[in-house]
Amino acid sequence: MPAMPIDQKIQLMVTIVDRGKGARVVDLYRSEQLHFNYNCLGLGTANSEILDYLGIGETEKDVVFTMIPAFRVKPLIRKASDQFQLHNPGKGILFTIPLTGVSGQVQRVLCKHEHSDDSKEEDIMQGEKQCDLILTILNHGYTDEVMAAAKKVGARGGTVLHARRVGFEDAENLLGFTIQPEKEIIAIIVPRSIKQGLMQEINRVAGLSTEKAGILFSLPIGDMAGLNFDSLG
């Protein structure tokens, strides 16, 4: 697949809101001619103290994945932040992840609109800290233990997606043990300064050598709204 032209870069935008609001998020993005939206069910992992601090009334979440041209990210995040009040604690989180490739037809549909000049757009990423998305894929039933380890290092909370591994027979043969098909994916956003320590701690308590059989990887985050890590130092 050829590299995408710099003015047609595609990003994955992830929007996490309270359960039931995902449809409204999709409606907003569709009104902006963004038609590649995927709404999943998630579960927040913040403890009661954090929930009280953030003012979150529930932990069941809708997680919306949307593909969007990079030049449209900032104005759309601003619009979504205003509509869903993401500047208020606990209302939701929105962030982008750069993609290195996407289906050609998808790219043509997404980039058919006129390029907008974002050179004067205000940078809406909160604070100056660089952040990463840590994904941990592990056996079902160990979310609390992983989040306890993550919070020891400084994580505030995360979002859990339920998944099922398919085509795992080859991996079982290579690793030498049975792989449980039911999985949980824990997504945690952290400042880059604590990423390494957090991943090491999670791997210690939930890595492949444990009964949790966790696999970890990290992704860089671009623009973001709904989180402020200034209090983490």
Side-chain angles (χ1 to χ4, degrees):
M1 181 179 294
M4 288 183 285
I6 192 168
D7 63 343
Q8 294 187 6
K9 290 286 187 181
I10 305 299
Q11 296 194 10
L12 180 66
M13 187 161 64
V14 182
T15 309
I16 304 175
V17 291
D18 285 339
R19 182 70 52 82
K21 294 183 180 180
R24 291 172 51 198
V25 171
V26 172
D27 286 343
L28 170 63
Y29 296 163
R30 289 183 64 189
S31 72
E32 295 290 323
Q33 306 302 311
L34 297 171
H35 299 293
F36 298 95
N37 303 285
Y38 307 90
N39 192 4
C40 305
L41 302 182
L43 181 68
T45 64
N47 59 30
S48 58
E49 180 181 351
I50 294 295
L51 292 176
D52 291 341
Y53 172 75
L54 296 176
I56 299 176
E58 59 179 285
T59 59
E60 290 187 331
K61 301 296 179 183
D62 284 346
V63 183
V64 180
F65 297 93
T66 304
M67 284 184 283
I68 178 173
F71 66 83
R72 299 193 61 196
V73 166
K74 285 182 169 58
L76 187 59
I77 290 185
R78 179 173 291 107
K79 181 173 289 189
S81 295
D82 290 342
Q83 182 162 326
F84 297 102
Q85 300 181 324
L86 300 184
H87 50 278
N88 292 328
K91 293 297 184 180
I93 301 169
L94 192 159
F95 60 91
T96 62
I97 301 171
L99 301 179
T100 58
V102 69
S103 301
Q105 288 179 313
V106 172
Q107 183 180 353
R108 286 192 293 273
V109 170
L110 290 175
C111 296
K112 68 181 180 180
H113 300 284
E114 243 179 79
H115 190 293
S116 60
D117 182 7
D118 289 335
S119 59
K120 298 182 180 180
E121 289 283 354
E122 177 186 357
D123 186 358
I124 62 174
M125 182 169 178
Q126 298 180 351
E128 297 181 354
K129 295 183 183 296
Q130 291 182 308
C131 296
D132 287 277
L133 173 67
I134 310 300
L135 295 176
T136 305
I137 305 172
L138 72 163
N139 288 338
H140 177 77
Y142 296 104
T143 299
D144 290 344
E145 295 175 46
V146 170
M147 287 308 306
K151 288 170 184 175
K152 282 175 56 179
V153 184
R156 291 180 174 180
T159 300
V160 179
L161 297 175
H162 296 288
R164 181 177 178 84
R165 184 178 174 88
V166 295
F168 51 85
E169 292 82 2
D170 290 341
E172 286 183 346
N173 293 333
L174 290 171
L175 295 172
F177 54 82
T178 301
I179 298 177
Q180 178 180 322
E182 282 72 26
K183 297 291 181 180
E184 289 176 334
I185 303 173
I186 305 176
I188 307 172
I189 299 175
V190 295
R192 190 160 296 166
S193 58
I194 69 171
K195 178 190 75 172
Q196 193 65 28
L198 184 140
M199 294 184 72
Q200 289 174 346
E201 181 64 17
I202 293 179
N203 191 61
R204 183 183 68 81
V205 302
L208 275 175
S209 60
T210 72
E211 72 277 9
K212 304 167 189 67
I215 297 174
L216 289 80
F217 57 93
S218 65
L219 297 167
I221 285 179
D223 294 280
M224 182 174 67
L227 279 177
N228 192 321
F229 290 110
D230 289 343
S231 61
L232 294 181

